[in-house]
Amino acid sequence: MFIDSHCHIDFPELAARMPELLAKMEENKVSHALCVSVDLPDFPRVLALAEQYPHIFASVGVHPDYEDTPEPSVDQLVELSNHPKIVAIGETGLDYYRLTGDLEWQRERFRTHIKASRITRKPLIIHTRSASEDTLRLMREEGAGTNDGGVAGVMHCFTESLEVARASMEMGFYISFSGIVTFKSAKELQAVALEVPLERMLIETDSPYLAPVPYRGKMNEPGYVAHVAEFIAKLKGVPVEQVAKQTTENFFNLFKPLAH
Protein backbone atom coordinates (compact mmCIF):
# COMPACT_ATOMS: atom_id res chain seq x y z
CA MET A 1 0.00 0.00 0.00
CA PHE A 2 1.09 3.57 -0.71
CA ILE A 3 0.39 6.81 1.17
CA ASP A 4 0.09 10.26 -0.39
CA SER A 5 1.80 12.31 2.30
CA HIS A 6 0.84 15.70 0.79
CA CYS A 7 -2.17 16.67 -1.31
CA HIS A 8 -4.77 19.43 -1.59
CA ILE A 9 -7.93 17.46 -2.31
CA ASP A 10 -10.03 20.17 -0.66
CA PHE A 11 -9.28 22.44 -3.65
CA PRO A 12 -12.53 22.81 -5.66
CA GLU A 13 -11.25 21.13 -8.83
CA LEU A 14 -10.53 17.94 -6.85
CA ALA A 15 -13.28 18.13 -4.22
CA ALA A 16 -15.88 18.10 -7.02
CA ARG A 17 -14.56 14.68 -8.08
CA MET A 18 -14.24 13.14 -4.61
CA PRO A 19 -15.96 9.76 -5.27
CA GLU A 20 -13.78 9.28 -8.35
CA LEU A 21 -10.61 10.29 -6.48
CA LEU A 22 -11.30 7.87 -3.65
CA ALA A 23 -12.04 5.05 -6.09
CA LYS A 24 -8.78 5.74 -7.94
CA MET A 25 -6.87 5.69 -4.63
CA GLU A 26 -8.29 2.25 -3.84
CA GLU A 27 -7.60 0.99 -7.35
CA ASN A 28 -3.94 2.10 -7.09
CA LYS A 29 -3.52 0.76 -3.53
CA VAL A 30 -3.19 4.20 -1.97
CA SER A 31 -4.45 3.55 1.55
CA HIS A 32 -4.24 7.05 3.11
CA ALA A 33 -3.72 10.69 2.18
CA LEU A 34 -2.77 13.81 4.10
CA CYS A 35 -4.76 16.87 2.99
CA VAL A 36 -2.60 19.89 3.70
CA SER A 37 -3.87 23.31 4.81
CA VAL A 38 -2.69 26.45 2.99
CA ASP A 39 -4.66 29.19 4.79
CA LEU A 40 -7.01 29.67 7.72
CA PRO A 41 -10.20 30.71 5.83
CA ASP A 42 -10.19 27.37 3.98
CA PHE A 43 -9.07 25.26 6.94
CA PRO A 44 -12.66 24.19 7.83
CA ARG A 45 -13.05 22.38 4.50
CA VAL A 46 -9.70 20.60 5.03
CA LEU A 47 -10.81 19.44 8.48
CA ALA A 48 -14.26 18.46 7.17
CA LEU A 49 -12.69 16.04 4.68
CA ALA A 50 -10.58 14.44 7.40
CA GLU A 51 -13.61 14.12 9.65
CA GLN A 52 -15.69 12.58 6.86
CA TYR A 53 -13.19 9.95 5.67
CA PRO A 54 -11.28 7.66 8.08
CA HIS A 55 -8.29 7.33 5.73
CA ILE A 56 -7.83 11.08 5.17
CA PHE A 57 -5.74 13.12 7.62
CA ALA A 58 -5.21 16.87 7.74
CA SER A 59 -2.83 19.64 8.81
CA VAL A 60 -3.27 23.25 9.86
CA GLY A 61 -1.11 26.09 8.61
CA VAL A 62 -0.64 29.04 6.26
CA HIS A 63 1.47 28.65 3.12
CA PRO A 64 4.33 31.14 2.59
CA ASP A 65 2.97 32.13 -0.84
CA TYR A 66 -0.31 33.41 0.62
CA GLU A 67 0.43 37.08 1.22
CA ASP A 68 -3.06 38.57 1.56
CA THR A 69 -4.55 36.18 4.08
CA PRO A 70 -5.17 36.26 7.85
CA GLU A 71 -1.89 35.87 9.72
CA PRO A 72 -1.92 32.93 12.15
CA SER A 73 -0.83 33.28 15.76
CA VAL A 74 0.91 30.56 17.73
CA ASP A 75 -2.15 30.23 19.98
CA GLN A 76 -4.46 29.89 16.97
CA LEU A 77 -2.41 27.13 15.40
CA VAL A 78 -2.15 25.31 18.71
CA GLU A 79 -5.91 25.51 19.28
CA LEU A 80 -6.86 24.46 15.73
CA SER A 81 -4.46 21.52 15.81
CA ASN A 82 -6.15 20.11 18.92
CA HIS A 83 -8.08 17.51 16.95
CA PRO A 84 -7.24 13.82 16.46
CA LYS A 85 -7.32 14.07 12.65
CA ILE A 86 -4.90 17.04 12.56
CA VAL A 87 -1.52 15.35 12.42
CA ALA A 88 0.82 18.20 11.39
CA ILE A 89 1.54 21.94 11.40
CA GLY A 90 1.88 23.52 7.96
CA GLU A 91 2.35 23.87 5.12
CA THR A 92 4.85 26.48 6.19
CA GLY A 93 8.31 27.66 5.19
CA LEU A 94 9.89 30.21 2.86
CA ASP A 95 9.46 30.92 -0.84
CA TYR A 96 11.70 33.55 -2.45
CA TYR A 97 10.84 32.32 -5.95
CA ARG A 98 7.25 33.52 -6.26
CA LEU A 99 7.45 36.56 -3.97
CA THR A 100 10.07 39.31 -3.81
CA GLY A 101 10.73 42.44 -1.77
CA ASP A 102 10.76 42.60 2.01
CA LEU A 103 9.76 39.08 3.06
CA GLU A 104 10.32 39.47 6.79
CA TRP A 105 6.59 38.72 7.27
CA GLN A 106 7.20 35.33 5.64
CA ARG A 107 10.05 34.56 8.01
CA GLU A 108 7.95 35.59 11.01
CA ARG A 109 5.09 33.38 9.83
CA PHE A 110 7.53 30.46 9.57
CA ARG A 111 8.77 31.10 13.11
CA THR A 112 5.16 31.09 14.34
CA HIS A 113 4.58 27.64 12.86
CA ILE A 114 7.79 26.21 14.33
CA LYS A 115 6.77 27.49 17.78
CA ALA A 116 3.34 25.90 17.40
CA SER A 117 4.95 22.61 16.37
CA ARG A 118 7.15 22.59 19.46
CA ILE A 119 4.15 23.26 21.73
CA THR A 120 1.80 20.73 20.12
CA ARG A 121 4.50 18.11 19.40
CA LYS A 122 3.05 17.80 15.90
CA PRO A 123 5.53 17.65 13.01
CA LEU A 124 6.13 20.42 10.51
CA ILE A 125 5.38 20.30 6.78
CA ILE A 126 8.00 22.60 5.25
CA HIS A 127 7.92 24.23 1.82
CA THR A 128 11.18 25.83 0.69
CA ARG A 129 11.92 27.31 -2.72
CA SER A 130 14.92 29.49 -3.60
CA ALA A 131 15.30 30.04 0.15
CA SER A 132 17.12 27.00 1.51
CA GLU A 133 19.78 28.94 3.42
CA ASP A 134 17.25 31.00 5.38
CA THR A 135 14.93 28.01 5.77
CA LEU A 136 17.66 25.96 7.46
CA ARG A 137 18.78 28.96 9.53
CA LEU A 138 15.28 29.57 10.93
CA MET A 139 14.77 25.86 11.56
CA ARG A 140 17.92 25.88 13.67
CA GLU A 141 17.20 29.21 15.39
CA GLU A 142 13.69 28.11 16.45
CA GLY A 143 14.67 24.54 17.33
CA ALA A 144 12.63 22.73 14.72
CA GLY A 145 14.87 19.64 14.74
CA THR A 146 14.70 16.66 17.06
CA ASN A 147 18.22 17.45 18.29
CA ASP A 148 16.95 20.86 19.53
CA GLY A 149 13.81 19.66 21.30
CA GLY A 150 11.52 19.95 18.27
CA VAL A 151 9.61 17.15 16.58
CA ALA A 152 11.05 17.72 13.07
CA GLY A 153 8.78 16.90 10.14
CA VAL A 154 9.08 16.70 6.37
CA MET A 155 10.72 18.76 3.65
CA HIS A 156 7.83 18.49 1.21
CA CYS A 157 8.04 18.40 -2.61
CA PHE A 158 11.81 18.46 -2.29
CA THR A 159 13.76 20.08 -5.13
CA GLU A 160 16.87 21.31 -3.31
CA SER A 161 20.45 20.03 -3.27
CA LEU A 162 21.82 16.94 -1.55
CA GLU A 163 23.51 19.24 0.98
CA VAL A 164 20.13 20.70 1.99
CA ALA A 165 18.66 17.19 2.19
CA ARG A 166 21.50 16.03 4.43
CA ALA A 167 21.24 19.10 6.68
CA SER A 168 17.49 18.49 7.03
CA MET A 169 17.92 14.79 7.77
CA GLU A 170 20.51 15.64 10.43
CA MET A 171 17.74 17.61 12.17
CA GLY A 172 15.45 14.58 12.02
CA PHE A 173 13.43 15.60 8.95
CA TYR A 174 12.14 13.30 6.24
CA ILE A 175 12.56 14.17 2.55
CA SER A 176 9.44 13.89 0.40
CA PHE A 177 9.54 13.43 -3.36
CA SER A 178 6.69 14.41 -5.67
CA GLY A 179 5.99 13.76 -9.35
CA ILE A 180 8.83 16.16 -10.21
CA VAL A 181 11.32 13.34 -9.58
CA THR A 182 9.83 11.44 -12.57
CA PHE A 183 10.42 14.29 -15.03
CA LYS A 184 13.14 13.76 -17.65
CA SER A 185 14.54 17.21 -16.85
CA ALA A 186 14.97 16.40 -13.13
CA LYS A 187 18.35 14.67 -13.35
CA GLU A 188 19.81 16.58 -10.38
CA LEU A 189 16.80 15.74 -8.21
CA GLN A 190 16.98 12.10 -9.24
CA ALA A 191 20.62 12.06 -8.09
CA VAL A 192 19.46 13.39 -4.71
CA ALA A 193 16.70 10.77 -4.47
CA LEU A 194 19.29 8.08 -5.15
CA GLU A 195 21.28 9.26 -2.09
CA VAL A 196 18.38 9.77 0.33
CA PRO A 197 17.86 6.46 2.20
CA LEU A 198 14.38 4.95 2.04
CA GLU A 199 14.27 5.14 5.84
CA ARG A 200 14.16 8.97 5.56
CA MET A 201 11.84 9.24 2.56
CA LEU A 202 8.17 10.04 1.96
CA ILE A 203 6.25 10.18 -1.32
CA GLU A 204 3.54 12.65 -2.31
CA THR A 205 1.54 14.11 -5.17
CA ASP A 206 1.05 17.76 -4.09
CA SER A 207 -2.12 17.35 -6.17
CA PRO A 208 -3.73 18.98 -8.06
CA TYR A 209 -0.24 20.04 -9.21
CA LEU A 210 2.85 18.26 -10.59
CA ALA A 211 1.36 15.06 -11.95
CA PRO A 212 4.05 12.40 -12.44
CA VAL A 213 4.94 10.78 -15.73
CA PRO A 214 2.87 9.38 -17.53
CA TYR A 215 0.27 11.99 -16.48
CA ARG A 216 2.53 15.04 -16.66
CA GLY A 217 0.59 18.16 -17.66
CA LYS A 218 -2.72 16.74 -16.44
CA MET A 219 -4.50 17.35 -13.12
CA ASN A 220 -2.79 15.36 -10.38
CA GLU A 221 -4.56 13.25 -7.76
CA PRO A 222 -3.59 11.01 -4.80
CA GLY A 223 -3.90 7.77 -6.78
CA TYR A 224 -0.95 8.83 -8.91
CA VAL A 225 1.49 8.64 -5.97
CA ALA A 226 2.03 5.00 -6.94
CA HIS A 227 3.91 6.25 -10.03
CA VAL A 228 6.30 8.24 -7.82
CA ALA A 229 7.00 5.08 -5.81
CA GLU A 230 7.52 3.03 -8.97
CA PHE A 231 10.00 5.54 -10.35
CA ILE A 232 11.99 5.66 -7.08
CA ALA A 233 12.05 1.86 -6.95
CA LYS A 234 13.46 1.70 -10.47
CA LEU A 235 15.96 4.47 -9.68
CA LYS A 236 17.22 2.65 -6.58
CA GLY A 237 17.00 -0.83 -8.10
CA VAL A 238 14.68 -2.19 -5.41
CA PRO A 239 11.19 -3.74 -5.57
CA VAL A 240 8.34 -1.22 -5.53
CA GLU A 241 6.89 -3.16 -2.58
CA GLN A 242 9.95 -2.15 -0.55
CA VAL A 243 9.40 1.54 -1.34
CA ALA A 244 5.70 1.19 -0.48
CA LYS A 245 6.36 -0.57 2.83
CA GLN A 246 9.13 1.77 4.00
CA THR A 247 7.45 5.06 3.03
CA THR A 248 4.22 3.89 4.67
CA GLU A 249 6.09 3.03 7.88
CA ASN A 250 7.82 6.40 7.73
CA PHE A 251 4.47 8.20 7.41
CA PHE A 252 3.06 6.54 10.51
CA ASN A 253 6.30 6.99 12.47
CA LEU A 254 6.33 10.72 11.70
CA PHE A 255 2.67 11.74 11.86
CA LYS A 256 1.43 9.11 14.34
CA PRO A 257 -2.22 9.24 13.22
CA LEU A 258 -4.58 7.47 15.59
CA ALA A 259 -6.58 5.55 13.00
CA HIS A 260 -4.90 3.21 10.54
Side-chain angles (χ1 to χ4, degrees), residues 66-88:
Y66 284 58
E67 192 170 4
D68 299 316
T69 195
E71 201 62 46
S73 68
V74 174
D75 289 346
Q76 247 181 323
L77 292 174
V78 169
E79 184 181 347
L80 292 172
S81 71
N82 187 25
H83 186 289
K85 293 302 292 283
I86 302 298
V87 299

Side-chain angles (χ1 to χ4, degrees), residues 82-119:
N82 187 25
H83 186 289
K85 293 302 292 283
I86 302 298
V87 299
I89 302 293
E91 157 175 15
T92 183
L94 301 176
D95 193 319
Y96 296 171
Y97 179 82
R98 289 194 181 91
L99 298 172
T100 55
D102 183 3
L103 297 179
E104 186 57 32
W105 62 269
Q106 208 179 77
R107 291 184 282 276
E108 283 307 305
R109 180 183 292 176
F110 188 23
R111 291 182 191 275
T112 294
H113 284 75
I114 298 173
K115 287 169 183 166
S117 168
R118 286 178 62 97
I119 292 167

Side-chain angles (χ1 to χ4, degrees), residues 150-251:
V151 289
V154 55
M155 307 301 281
H156 118 85
C157 193
F158 194 80
T159 54
E160 303 295 328
S161 67
L162 181 58
E163 288 69 33
V164 175
R166 283 178 172 151
S168 303
M169 289 188 289
E170 281 170 14
M171 287 188 263
F173 279 77
Y174 289 80
I175 309 298
S176 182
F177 293 96
S178 69
I180 295 174
V181 78
T182 71
F183 298 172
K184 282 183 181 174
S185 57
K187 298 301 180 193
E188 289 180 14
L189 184 62
Q190 290 161 11
V192 173
L194 196 56
E195 295 295 323
V196 171
L198 281 178
E199 291 74 19
R200 303 305 303 168
M201 189 183 290
L202 293 175
I203 52 175
E204 65 171 272
T205 60
D206 202 13
S207 50
Y209 314 115
L210 306 171
V213 173
Y215 299 101
R216 187 174 182 184
K218 297 182 174 155
M219 191 185 300
N220 204 0
E221 57 182 83
Y224 295 166
V225 79
H227 294 282
V228 179
E230 286 162 6
F231 184 89
I232 287 170
K234 193 173 178 183
L235 186 69
K236 287 184 171 287
V238 299
V240 69
E241 293 80 9
Q242 187 178 339
V243 176
K245 183 175 185 291
Q246 188 62 61
T247 55
T248 295
E249 278 182 21
N250 294 345
F251 180 89

